[in-house]
Amino acid sequence: MAKVIIDKMAMQRALTRITYEIIEKNKGIEDLVIVGIKTRGIYLAKRIANRLQQLENVEVPVGALDITKYRDDIEHDSAKETPTVVASGDRVSVEGKNVILVDDVLYTGRTIKAALSAISELGRPNSIRLAVLVDRGHRELPIRADFVGKNIPSAQNEKIQVSVQEIDKRDAVEIVNK
Amino acid sequence: MTKRYLILEDGSSYPGEAFGALATTTGEIIINSNMMGYQESITNPIYHNQIIVFTQPTIGNVGINHKSYESIVTSIKGVITREYSDTTLNHQHKQSLDTFLKQHEIPGIEGIDTRELAHRITKKGTMKASIVDVDDEHAFDQLNATVLTNQQVSQVATPKPYPNPGNGFNIIVIDFGLKQGILRRLDERDCNVVVVPWDTSVERILSLDPDGIVISTGPGNPADLPKSIIKTIQSLQTQFPLLAIGLGHELFAIANNAKVYKLETEHHGSNHPVRKIITNQVIYVSQAQGYAVDYDSIDRNTLITTYIDLYNGTVQGLRHRDYPAFSVQFSPDGEPGPTIASDIFDEFLENIGSQRR
Amino acid sequence: MINQNINKVLIIGGGPSKVGQENELDAAVFQTIVSFKRVGVKSIVIDDNPYSIATTEIQPASAYIEAVTLDNVVAIIQNEGPDAILPTLGGPNAIKICQKLVEMKILAKYSVELLGLSKAALKLIGNPLRFSQLMKEVQEPIISSTIVHSNAEAFDLVRQVGFPIIVKPVLSSINSRRTICNSFDDLEIALSESFTDSTLNRCVIEKSIVGYKELSIIGIRDPNGTKLIINGVEDIDAIGIHSGDSIAVSPIQTITDSVYQRLRKATLNIMEQLEIIGACEVSFALNPDNNDYFVTKVTPNYNRGFALATLATGYPLNYVTAQLVLGNGFADIHLPHAYAKLTTFMEPLMDRILIRIPLWPFDSLKTVDQHLDQSMKSIGSAVGIGRTVEEAILKAMRSSQFNPRDVLPNMEELSDDEMISQLIHPKASRILVLIEALRRNYPVEDLSELTKIDPFYFKRLQKLLAVENLVVKEPLTEESLRTAHRRGFGDGMLAAAWQTDLDKVRYLGKLKNSVPTYKMIEPSAGEEAHSIRSFYSSFERENESHQLSDRSALVIGRGGNRLGPNSAADYYTSEVLIQMHRLGYKTIIMNNNPNSVSLSPQLSDKQYIEPIQIGAILNIAEIEKPAIVVVPGNRHYLVRQLRQYPDLKVVVLPPDQETGVTLPQKTSFAMNFFVTKDESRFINTVKLASGKNHELKDISHLAFPYAIDDDKLAGLITDAKELISSSYWKGLVQILVLEDQGLFKVVGIRPIRIIETIFLNRISNVNWIKMLVKLYTNQLTTEDLNKTFKNLSFIPFAEMKPKFPFIDLKVDQEVGSTNQEVGAEINLDPPEDE
């Protein structure tokens, strides 16, 4: 059984609000870089960047981060590879920038920890802030999001499923009972 | 049938047949091009002291019903239509528009070439008009001599605070001539609402422990209101999530150093495409405005323009860069008109939720 | 942004007109071709409707005059390799074909893009299961039917949905029985009967919505997802009478704004879910007691409703839709200069009322059950536009009178019993019965209860009756005249009521300055500066219509469609407009049929939506002072009236056949001639066939060529010319010949009728309507004539067969007469075995 917690309209509103909050907290959008964590975080990052561009008429660089290799809770066969933050094929520099890290769901915090290590290998940003569409609780690390679409208190055995139009052909956040 | 006249400041006279009260009145004449919802328009306090010309050719069709009031007192100065149609039946409790207007001492005239009037007013702009028994020289002299009040807000806003209890966020609505659609939308979202008079002090508002502030719609020119209002808004916007609508939007703009000007022709309808800039989406909303925020006067370091009317280029929405405070010129509650923008109330409440996290 | 990959589009035509489909599809195809052409996109059209302006006006190479079938469409795709296909303008048949093309993966195979409909929308049409799925997705209520196995189940269900409900047995052994129940007692009886009837011992229970208001809303959406509402229509008659048989009103009059906004929102949500690009109609049933509604139908393809919306609002729906399907957004579309800026983007406003009254074929088909019910029986309609509901109703009634006399019939002879029966079980005379009931002082509440018609409309009709009383009581006074004019009464009606002549009434009107003012039909309620040339009359202060030109041609349209060669006549009217314009006249059309092709804005320079009555014509002539008034088709009464005004240069095309024709009972074939004052030239022979023994009145089946040997033909031509020279006919003249056991005899003479003229156009390389128009405006030179006949050529074979509405109207008849035709099909492929 899947129950829709955030529908299309609510998701649009959440991203809109996060966008405005980024402008508020960041005091503008200078030196902003938005980095989406694969897979759905990337699309959310792009949407936030699009919104910023609509409002401010400035193109904000968007990077994509694949952190599978950085998860300390996943065993790897290979040695660590150098992480990359890529925007339309080109590398995006994070040096001295204000980075907004974007993910769909904040859960244990391990993904974010991995993302932070990956970014720190790339350079030294001025600041890193975290935006998530859903915060479902159950943190295992001292990590907190700066921008949250919606807090969804959840049980461990529930699954939070985020669908985005770009790959899932619809926008929704659902709770699925395993 | 009683023959009466609508006379205009430009010297023109329109004979027609009376309905409603037989009162002689003077007000500003405006065109309302909504295709439905005459009751909502007639009872909207924004039209205080105005004479409404409906371009929809027939009004009165569905009588008056308790769900469509935008205020319980109505204070417009007249209703002009091509045709009034009385549809009340004896066995129904429904009131007719005619009875309603009589009770509120508002005159109506039917049988007027409202299309010609629309052409005239669109071309010449807003002007004074009277509804009179005789269109003689004396009537025109009276009309020209009449100075319309600029104290509309104090005439229509509530003099005392009143609550509309709910279980959700505590919302303080500052009433400048509130339309009830705003209260309905907050009620649907289970807000605990307290409506306070327009001149309530910041201290008094703080003592009510607000979660968020709504600055309401209302009649007239924002420049006619005392500067203390601007100070109140400047203070509140730094402390609470804030939503300002209509006249409230104009005041919010002034509080953030933008200028407001009078439109040559007022716009009262819901057919203009309005672009929501952040998503580039075009929507149709309920608009009723005689003033607009001057786009060029907006300090881009303070305010972000969020909505724009694609037809006449007027600013339809603003947001503060530093605080979760935003405003819309149109009526997001609809009534009459599209309700697509009613999720602005959700946006407002989610701002509150985000602040309290 | 326009899709650069689309350069060539196959448009599927609607085929022959039929019940529920007149020329509106052809008009839409024509306007789409014009719109495509503006941006350099080529159109290809398939249609076998001989009365199609679209296939006439398009480049000959791009018109496929073939039956609209799957095989033919596939063949065109293979031959032409179009980039895209547009199935939305060809009615249900085009949709079915396109559904097959998608299923069979033919579009994918030939990389043909589907325009105007998403796959989801395409699949939706004609598929109730899809429809209920869609409504579930958008969370909109529909009338669901539930199968029950027992009384207990049925009772539980009914407690939920409430009465009234309909009970139907599943797989009934008898005829499909539907029982409406209003109480548990009714339900118990119906269930016991239905369970017995059902071979499966099951029943279907469905909420009954008979008596609900029927409303429809048309929206339009662009590729960027911007959606706006074009127009809403309310049926005066409640659900229980087919929407096509109901009097319709636009804009919606009897619901509150908050209810309307719910319907509006539902319409837009459905369009978004279906990813409609272009227009879409959503129909609703609304319970007037509690304002609950159900979505009853979603129509994403062109139908009558779209045509009505265009006429009512002045929004250029066809033009815009054509641009949208090519990929343009509202902001990208360049409209002709007549429209104010951003018109495509603004929600249309109406400061007028349009009312449509259906026309039924009961005069021509006596055996049809004349009661109006859930199956559509009307074959046409006429509209009235006015500034008030009364004005619009009366003008619609004047426009729907069968004869052009200006008087309202009354129903005095109807007994009270019969009247009550007709109030509950309405017939074609619906509106007259409603008026008569009010005349007899039936209370509005009772009438509303009996008929389920909103009291609002009875109050409006009462107002009309009050005006009628005034007119009768105070003949020829200024007060009566002015009041009557403003409520839609025609001068002819007043003349009849006052037992005087029309001219006297008109004189009084001028004397007292009660003259019509014309209002522009534009989509901004007077707020924007449009210069659209489409008008209707009212009697108000401001007149917006002025003389168009000192060399204009006023063409009198056919009005509402009826059985007989009416869709042909509308086509003929359009051709006259085109030819008159080419000859340098500014053309003005007067018509009131929302489905006519002749009202397409591209076909004339100015349009008047008015009753086709002498008074209204004279009023327009007063403003326009036309150089010529053209009356296409035979309308004896009207023409006689017009000829009383010698200032009007009236030309009747084809010439009036009231006198001077010799018509035999039987005939075999016809010889066609073109006749000028100096000479007559032979054109061709056409075989005339009919189901009944060559009787002339039944002939509408035409075939070309008619084989006859040259000697015999030469002799007949000589005889024919002799007959022609002794007649006064000019232009296209037809000699009728009877073959009897190898002997040929000239048996008749007449002007070539409309359908035969069109057939002649279709089979030869000459536009004969152009020739006629030239002749009648004295612009045909001998050189023209020589050139035409020197180059005259014919296609090898053609036949044109009539279509009759017998099956649709459940008439037990196979062979029909000319005046029972509803349309025709043309076939250019020679039969294989000959």
Side-chain angles (χ1 to χ4, degrees):
Chain A
M1 270 298 290
K3 191 180 163 216
V4 176
I5 301 292
I6 301 182
D7 63 11
K8 182 180 171 176
M9 292 293 283
M11 194 191 284
Q12 285 187 9
R13 275 201 311 276
L15 292 170
T16 293
R17 180 170 46 76
I18 289 172
T19 307
Y20 284 125
E21 287 177 355
I22 289 171
I23 296 174
E24 272 171 42
K25 284 249 173 74
N26 203 60
K27 306 284 169 208
I29 61 166
E30 289 75 43
D31 295 327
L32 209 59
V33 171
I34 304 189
V35 175
I37 298 173
K38 72 96 211 184
T39 307
R40 286 170 183 76
I42 298 170
Y43 296 102
L44 300 176
K46 283 183 179 163
R47 289 200 207 173
I48 291 170
N50 279 340
R51 281 168 160 73
L52 287 168
Q53 189 177 355
Q54 287 292 338
L55 288 176
E56 306 279 22
N57 214 4
V58 173
E59 205 172 322
V60 179
V62 180
L65 190 63
D66 184 342
I67 49 80
T68 2
K69 301 287 192 290
Y70 284 79
R71 289 287 293 257
D72 54 10
D73 55 345
I74 297 171
E75 290 188 15
H76 307 291
D77 303 332
S78 56
K80 282 184 179 177
E81 291 167 23
T82 316
T84 52
V85 177
V86 177
S88 8
D90 298 326
R91 283 189 177 204
V92 174
S93 162
V94 297
E95 190 67 41
K97 303 280 182 180
N98 295 318
V99 174
I100 308 288
L101 200 55
V102 181
D103 203 359
D104 52 354
V105 181
L106 177 58
Y107 189 20
T108 61
R110 292 190 186 279
T111 305
I112 305 305
K113 188 194 159 207
L116 291 172
S117 351
I119 288 176
S120 63
E121 276 192 31
L122 293 170
R124 192 189 149 82
N126 184 38
S127 68
I128 304 180
R129 287 203 173 93
L130 174 62
V132 296
L133 185 59
V134 174
D135 182 346
R136 61 169 297 190
H138 307 290
R139 211 82 76 245
E140 294 168 6
L141 295 169
I143 283 172
R144 184 179 183 278
D146 301 87
F147 312 103
V148 178
K150 194 177 173 72
N151 286 303
I152 303 179
S154 62
Q156 296 269 15
N157 64 349
E158 287 171 323
K159 187 172 180 257
I160 305 282
Q161 187 174 303
V162 176
S163 308
V164 295
Q165 184 73 38
E166 291 88 337
I167 44 178
D168 307 303
K169 303 288 167 221
R170 59 196 281 258
D171 282 339
V173 177
E174 290 153 302
I175 291 193
V176 187
N177 285 318
K178 276 180 195 162
Chain B
M1 289 292 174
T2 314
K3 193 170 178 181
R4 300 194 80 208
Y5 299 85
L6 169 74
I7 59 171
L8 267 55
E9 208 179 343
D10 70 354
S12 53
S13 168
Y14 292 79
E17 284 153 16
F19 67 105
L22 291 175
T24 295
T25 56
T26 300
E28 216 176 31
I29 191 162
I30 56 111
I31 298 289
N32 184 310
S33 65
N34 282 300
M35 300 252 285
M36 286 187 193
Y38 55 83
Q39 184 183 346
E40 287 87 340
S41 293
I42 285 171
T43 57
N44 187 344
I46 196 180
Y47 296 124
H48 179 61
N49 278 354
Q50 292 186 316
I51 295 173
I52 306 179
V53 180
F54 286 97
T55 64
Q56 50 171 315
T58 306
I59 65 166
N61 310 14
V62 288
I64 291 285
N65 73 84
H66 73 276
K67 286 179 182 165
S68 301
Y69 285 117
E70 286 303 306
S71 69
I72 34 181
V73 284
T74 183
S75 53
I76 59 164
K77 292 294 180 196
V79 175
I80 310 296
T81 178
R82 172 62 182 88
E83 178 167 58
Y84 168 66
S85 116
D86 190 335
T87 44
T88 40
L89 293 175
N90 297 330
H91 82 277
Q92 289 179 333
H93 294 294
K94 217 160 65 171
Q95 199 180 27
S96 77
L97 175 59
D98 178 58
T99 313
F100 174 84
L101 291 178
K102 283 191 171 105
Q103 280 172 1
H104 291 83
E105 291 172 16
I106 298 165
I109 300 191
E110 63 163 325
I112 282 181
D113 188 345
T114 49
R115 184 170 167 82
E116 191 210 353
L117 256 182
H119 283 147
R120 181 183 295 274
I121 294 168
T122 312
K123 210 160 112 192
K124 297 197 170 173
T126 311
M127 51 186 137
K128 281 189 292 183
S130 291
I131 297 176
V132 294
D133 295 330
V134 189
D135 63 339
D136 57 10
E137 208 172 311
H138 176 69
F140 278 101
D141 287 347
Q142 287 275 339
L143 169 61
N144 292 327
T146 306
V147 177
L148 297 174
T149 175
N150 60 359
Q151 300 298 308
Q152 295 105 310
V153 168
S154 58
Q155 289 172 352
V156 294
T158 181
K160 275 194 218 164
Y162 61 92
N164 183 27
N167 296 313
F169 290 129
N170 188 30
I171 306 299
I172 308 304
V173 177
I174 307 178
D175 179 5
F176 287 88
L178 175 70
K179 76 195 279 290
Q180 284 182 7
I182 295 173
L183 293 184
R184 285 193 198 97
R185 296 297 95 83
L186 291 170
D187 188 60
E188 283 158 14
R189 289 159 178 81
D190 202 20
C191 293
N192 183 65
V193 172
V194 181
V195 180
V196 300
W198 62 282
D199 51 358
T200 306
S201 68
V202 174
E203 293 69 33
R204 178 76 184 109
I205 289 169
L206 289 180
S207 75
L208 292 166
D209 187 21
D211 291 324
I213 308 285
V214 172
I215 302 176
S216 88
T217 50
N221 184 348
D224 292 336
L225 293 167
K227 291 282 170 286
S228 57
I229 302 299
I230 302 302
K231 292 246 157 37
T232 302
I233 295 173
Q234 283 166 343
S235 166
L236 290 172
Q237 71 181 9
T238 64
Q239 303 179 60
F240 307 101
L242 180 145
L243 167 61
I245 304 171
L247 178 64
H249 156 85
E250 293 153 17
L251 293 167
F252 174 71
I254 294 169
N256 291 291
N257 299 319
K259 292 196 171 65
V260 170
Y261 66 96
K262 188 165 170 53
L263 289 172
E264 263 173 50
T265 309
E266 302 204 357
H267 173 55
H268 303 274
S270 45
N271 66 326
H272 287 186
V274 171
R275 189 193 300 285
K276 182 177 182 179
I277 292 172
I278 194 164
T279 52
N280 209 16
Q281 189 191 4
V282 177
I283 56 174
Y284 296 82
V285 292
S286 176
Q287 294 173 297
Q289 68 181 115
Y291 294 84
V293 174
D294 178 1
Y295 181 78
D296 294 326
S297 74
I298 295 169
D299 174 5
R300 281 162 186 66
N301 294 316
T302 313
L303 294 175
I304 304 172
T305 303
T306 54
Y307 289 87
I308 204 120
D309 183 321
L310 293 178
Y311 176 73
N312 57 20
T314 54
V315 175
Q316 293 291 319
L318 292 167
R319 178 161 178 134
H320 204 287
R321 275 189 184 276
D322 302 329
Y323 313 108
F326 69 112
S327 67
V328 284
Q329 177 77 66
F330 53 82
S331 299
D333 52 303
E335 305 194 355
T339 50
I340 184 170
S342 63
D343 78 334
I344 279 174
F345 292 96
D346 296 312
E347 209 175 317
F348 170 56
L349 298 180
E350 284 160 7
N351 279 341
I352 297 173
S354 179
Q355 292 297 306
R356 291 163 61 94
R357 194 167 55 82
Chain C
M1 282 295 291
I2 204 154
N3 181 344
Q4 299 294 342
N5 298 325
I6 298 172
N7 299 308
K8 190 153 120 182
V9 179
L10 171 58
I11 304 172
I12 308 182
S17 45
K18 51 179 90 58
V19 174
Q21 174 191 328
E22 304 169 46
N23 295 349
E24 67 277 10
L25 295 178
D26 187 51
V29 172
F30 168 68
Q31 292 169 37
T32 300
I33 294 170
V34 172
S35 186
F36 279 179
K37 206 171 165 187
R38 283 280 283 249
V39 287
V41 170
K42 186 183 168 194
S43 306
I44 306 162
V45 180
I46 173 169
D47 203 337
D48 64 341
N49 177 6
Y51 315 134
S52 158
I53 281 290
T55 56
T56 312
E57 283 299 296
I58 199 172
Q59 288 294 321
S62 304
Y64 284 79
I65 314 294
E66 294 173 0
V68 186
T69 62
L70 179 65
D71 290 348
N72 287 341
V73 170
V74 171
I76 297 172
I77 290 175
Q78 286 166 341
N79 287 341
E80 292 272 354
D83 305 309
I85 188 166
L86 185 62
T88 49
L89 308 179
N93 180 46
I95 296 295
K96 268 183 216 140
I97 290 172
C98 215
Q99 286 169 337
K100 290 248 174 60
L101 290 173
V102 170
E103 253 169 59
M104 294 160 65
K105 302 204 167 23
I106 288 173
L107 296 187
K109 185 176 169 192
Y110 293 95
S111 1
V112 180
E113 199 172 316
L114 177 65
L115 295 187
L117 289 174
S118 61
K119 294 263 160 69
L122 181 68
K123 281 183 189 155
L124 175 81
I125 304 171
N127 185 337
L129 198 67
R130 283 262 168 193
F131 173 68
S132 60
Q133 276 170 358
L134 173 73
M135 290 306 123
K136 213 171 160 183
E137 286 164 24
V138 293
Q139 295 173 26
E140 290 295 344
I142 54 169
I143 308 296
S144 54
S145 39
T146 310
I147 295 176
V148 294
H149 303 77
S150 67
N151 275 21
E153 247 181 275
F155 278 49
D156 278 348
L157 181 74
V158 172
R159 268 188 284 270
Q160 274 175 37
V161 302
F163 288 108
I165 52 109
I166 294 171
V167 179
K168 288 185 290 192
V170 174
L171 278 184
S172 171
S173 47
I174 324 166
N175 266 340
S176 61
R177 177 212 292 269
R178 289 163 62 89
T179 318
I180 295 187
C181 307
N182 286 300
S183 68
F184 281 98
D185 292 342
D186 291 356
L187 178 62
E188 205 161 354
I189 299 167
L191 284 170
S192 97
E193 284 173 356
S194 300
F195 278 130
T196 317
D197 281 356
S198 167
T199 50
L200 294 174
N201 204 27
R202 281 173 205 177
C203 299
V204 171
I205 294 197
E206 195 177 279
K207 192 167 172 56
S208 165
I209 53 168
V210 166
Y212 280 29
K213 278 185 200 295
E214 191 159 21
L215 306 154
S216 65
I217 293 180
I218 290 184
I220 189 166
R221 180 178 178 276
D222 80 357
N224 307 320
T226 301
K227 299 173 286 288
L228 55 98
I229 297 296
I230 298 296
N231 161 266
V233 175
E234 166 177 8
D235 288 349
I236 289 188
D237 288 303
I239 285 185
I241 295 179
H242 190 283
S243 161
D245 281 350
S246 177
I247 299 169
V249 183
S250 181
I252 294 171
Q253 296 294 314
T254 64
I255 63 175
T256 61
D257 181 66
S258 63
V259 174
Y260 172 73
Q261 295 304 335
R262 281 158 60 208
L263 305 184
R264 178 184 200 280
K265 195 172 157 197
T267 306
L268 297 180
N269 284 348
I270 289 166
M271 290 173 65
E272 186 61 34
Q273 185 73 15
L274 284 172
E275 297 178 334
I276 298 287
I277 293 180
C280 179
E281 180 185 57
V282 179
S283 307
F284 297 92
L286 180 83
N287 183 342
D289 296 329
N290 59 12
N291 287 329
D292 282 351
Y293 70 85
F294 298 96
V295 177
T296 53
K297 210 167 140 196
V298 174
T299 314
N301 54 324
Y302 200 84
N303 69 7
R304 298 183 309 278
F306 294 58
L308 196 72
T310 311
L311 188 62
T313 60
Y315 185 91
L317 187 66
N318 290 318
Y319 190 93
V320 171
T321 303
Q323 294 290 311
L324 298 179
V325 302
L326 293 177
N328 270 332
F330 290 125
D332 307 323
I333 300 171
H334 298 288
L335 287 181
H337 295 305
Y339 295 92
K341 70 164 184 173
L342 280 182
T343 296
T344 57
F345 232 148
M346 307 272 277
E347 250 188 34
L349 304 174
M350 282 175 76
D351 58 3
R352 63 195 152 276
I353 311 265
L354 175 143
I355 290 183
R356 179 187 69 195
I357 295 187
L359 300 166
W360 292 274
F362 303 143
D363 288 342
S364 323
L365 288 171
K366 305 275 188 221
T367 58
V368 179
D369 172 13
Q370 303 203 358
H371 288 100
L372 307 182
D373 53 34
Q374 311 231 15
S375 64
M376 179 165 164
K377 289 172 179 166
S378 70
I379 41 91
S381 61
V383 299
I385 302 181
R387 288 268 290 148
T388 64
V389 173
E390 300 90 287
E391 202 180 356
I393 288 182
L394 206 42
K395 282 166 92 177
M397 287 175 68
R398 284 163 58 197
S399 295
S400 58
Q401 298 299 306
F402 188 69
N403 61 44
R405 290 171 180 84
D406 226 344
V407 195
L408 274 186
N410 75 33
M411 304 285 282
E412 261 171 14
E413 73 293 346
L414 206 64
S415 74
D416 278 307
D417 286 351
E418 179 58 21
M419 164 143 20
I420 288 175
S421 157
Q422 286 208 28
L423 285 168
I424 301 170
H425 305 290
K427 293 182 170 180
S429 48
R430 175 68 153 176
I431 185 81
L432 300 176
V433 173
L434 298 179
I435 292 173
E436 182 64 25
L438 287 170
R439 265 198 197 111
R440 294 185 197 178
N441 289 320
Y442 284 40
V444 168
E445 289 181 71
D446 296 358
L447 285 173
S448 181
E449 186 62 38
L450 282 176
T451 58
K452 306 292 174 201
I453 293 175
D454 196 287
F456 170 79
Y457 293 108
F458 288 109
K459 296 268 185 169
R460 301 294 91 205
L461 292 175
Q462 275 180 332
K463 199 141 190 173
L464 277 182
L465 285 174
V467 177
E468 189 190 58
N469 279 338
L470 175 72
V471 165
V472 171
K473 246 194 303 185
E474 295 179 17
L476 290 160
T477 65
E478 179 181 350
E479 172 72 4
S480 298
L481 183 73
R482 200 175 289 282
T483 310
H485 272 163
R486 280 171 72 93
R487 300 288 168 190
F489 286 69
D491 285 342
M493 280 166 104
L494 296 174
W498 294 336
Q499 294 172 343
T500 179
D501 59 47
L502 184 73
D503 291 335
K504 202 154 183 189
V505 177
R506 290 176 54 77
Y507 175 75
L508 185 67
K510 276 183 202 165
L511 199 69
K512 303 295 180 190
N513 197 27
S514 183
V515 293
T517 53
Y518 293 90
K519 301 284 185 190
M520 192 189 294
I521 301 177
E522 52 84 20
S524 76
E527 291 200 319
E528 318 301 333
H530 292 275
S531 47
I532 298 167
R533 286 175 174 162
S534 190
F535 298 89
Y536 67 98
S537 69
S538 71
F539 285 75
E540 292 190 285
R541 277 163 68 128
E542 186 185 36
N543 175 45
E544 300 170 48
S545 176
H546 307 283
Q547 188 183 9
L548 178 65
S549 157
D550 52 12
R551 189 158 181 265
S552 68
L554 174 62
V555 179
I556 310 299
R558 292 293 293 199
N561 193 49
R562 294 160 204 280
L563 291 186
N566 267 285
S567 57
D570 184 41
Y571 168 92
Y572 191 94
T573 304
S574 306
E575 266 298 326
V576 168
L577 286 169
I578 293 169
Q579 299 312 331
M580 293 300 288
H581 183 85
R582 286 186 185 153
L583 289 177
Y585 289 91
K586 292 286 177 197
T587 52
I588 301 163
I589 176 80
M590 184 177 171
N591 208 348
N592 52 44
N593 176 3
N595 302 319
S596 67
V597 66
S598 60
L599 275 179
S600 298
Q602 296 86 349
L603 288 178
S604 58
D605 297 304
K606 194 167 183 177
Q607 302 95 39
Y608 284 96
I609 316 302
E610 287 285 286
I612 309 293
Q613 291 181 320
I614 182 70
I617 295 173
L618 293 173
N619 285 340
I620 291 173
E622 196 93 21
I623 285 198
E624 299 292 351
K625 302 182 176 56
I628 182 170
V629 178
V630 187
V631 185
N634 281 308
R635 285 174 277 180
H636 308 316
Y637 182 83
L638 184 67
V639 168
R640 269 204 304 274
Q641 284 183 313
L642 283 169
R643 292 216 158 111
Q644 290 170 15
Y645 297 88
D647 285 356
L648 301 177
K649 305 222 163 14
V650 179
V651 171
V652 182
L653 292 176
D656 208 328
Q657 300 191 21
E658 204 172 6
T659 54
V661 293
T662 313
L663 296 180
Q665 278 218 319
K666 292 181 185 182
T667 187
S668 319
F669 77 97
M671 302 164 68
N672 294 329
F673 288 83
F674 195 85
V675 183
T676 65
K677 67 182 193 316
D678 306 316
E679 55 179 328
S680 57
R681 301 201 189 198
F682 171 71
I683 304 172
N684 71 342
T685 56
V686 169
K687 182 182 170 189
L688 306 175
S690 78
K692 275 192 226 150
N693 202 18
H694 298 299
E695 283 197 25
L696 189 71
K697 70 179 172 60
D698 297 329
I699 284 171
S700 42
H701 181 163
L702 313 174
F704 173 82
Y706 179 82
I708 174 171
D709 72 54
D710 288 351
D711 291 354
K712 280 184 178 150
L713 182 62
L716 282 169
I717 290 176
T718 314
D719 294 352
K721 286 193 170 182
E722 209 162 289
L723 185 54
I724 289 168
S725 63
S726 66
S727 83
Y728 58 80
W729 294 118
K730 299 286 175 286
L732 290 168
V733 180
Q734 190 168 61
I735 299 297
L736 301 169
V737 185
L738 182 68
E739 186 210 339
D740 193 10
Q741 296 165 357
L743 291 173
F744 294 90
K745 206 166 109 196
V746 168
V747 287
I749 179 169
R750 64 177 176 185
I752 302 184
R753 299 177 309 164
I754 284 178
I755 54 171
E756 282 148 352
T757 309
I758 298 170
F759 186 63
L760 207 51
N761 273 4
R762 288 278 176 192
I763 62 177
S764 71
N765 62 344
V766 175
N767 187 328
W768 295 99
I769 298 170
K770 179 181 177 180
M771 297 289 286
L772 267 189
V773 168
K774 273 189 156 180
L775 179 74
Y776 276 89
T777 55
N778 300 319
Q779 296 185 56
L780 189 69
T781 61
T782 315
E783 294 81 69
D784 277 347
L785 206 56
N786 287 340
K787 206 172 136 197
T788 301
F789 276 85
K790 192 180 158 211
N791 299 326
L792 180 62
S793 69
F794 292 90
I795 61 170
F797 172 85
E799 64 175 338
M800 197 156 102
K801 285 186 195 158
K803 290 280 195 183
F804 299 101
F806 303 140
I807 294 172
D808 286 333
L809 297 176
K810 303 189 183 77
V811 179
D812 187 19
Q813 188 177 337
E814 276 170 23
V815 180
S817 61
T818 322
N819 65 5
Q820 292 174 330
E821 278 177 52
V822 69
E825 63 186 5
I826 189 164
N827 173 20
L828 307 181
D829 284 337
E832 280 170 21
D833 54 354
E834 279 185 14

